[in-house]
Amino acid sequence: NADSTFPGLPEEDFDWYCVTNSIGYGIQNRKYISSLSLRMEPGDGCEADIFIEYDNDGIWHPTAQIKGDGDSTVTVPVIPGRCDSFKLKIAGHGDMKIRSVKFTSEEAI
């Protein structure tokens, strides 16, 4: 979609995706990631799916779906299963802004 930074004609909506690097559990003091939150702004008519892959096994597990109304920011909680590492993939169609990714860690017992 057009904005003042890139003048010209508005873009048509298109399919897109983004994938994180491996996120590991090698946190100091025996801590691990217990949950994370994705804060996103889906545009009007945007649809997106969120997936998680464990230990580079090639299997993308669906975790959430969002649909935008163009008026709100959504926060999507994700609770990863036990693994050595994981990746996130967000795939969608339409205008989307990813504002932040927040990790919560806990100490392993």
Side-chain angles (χ1 to χ4, degrees):
N1 292 335
D3 77 29
S4 61
T5 309
F6 301 103
L9 297 174
E11 290 182 337
E12 295 293 320
D13 287 341
F14 56 90
D15 293 335
W16 53 266
Y17 74 94
C18 59
V19 178
T20 67
N21 287 328
S22 288
I23 300 167
Y25 283 123
I27 303 172
Q28 293 179 346
N29 300 327
R30 299 176 1 144
K31 290 187 176 183
Y32 67 95
I33 298 169
S34 59
S35 66
L36 57 108
S37 297
L38 301 164
R39 192 167 146 264
M40 307 160 78
E41 286 182 26
D44 191 29
C46 174
E47 296 183 3
D49 297 303
I50 301 169
F51 303 89
I52 191 165
E53 176 194 40
Y54 296 105
D55 297 327
N56 294 312
D57 66 2
I59 301 169
W60 289 101
H61 304 274
T63 61
Q65 290 184 323
I66 56 173
K67 292 186 181 188
D69 59 12
D71 290 333
S72 60
T73 299
V74 296
T75 301
V76 181
V78 177
I79 300 174
R82 291 293 185 141
C83 58
D84 288 329
S85 65
F86 63 89
K87 292 181 184 178
L88 295 175
K89 177 165 79 171
I90 306 168
H93 180 86
D95 188 30
M96 169 69 76
K97 294 177 184 167
I98 300 171
R99 293 294 184 187
S100 66
V101 180
K102 176 185 170 187
F103 295 93
T104 303
S105 62
E106 294 185 24
E107 190 169 338
I109 298 174

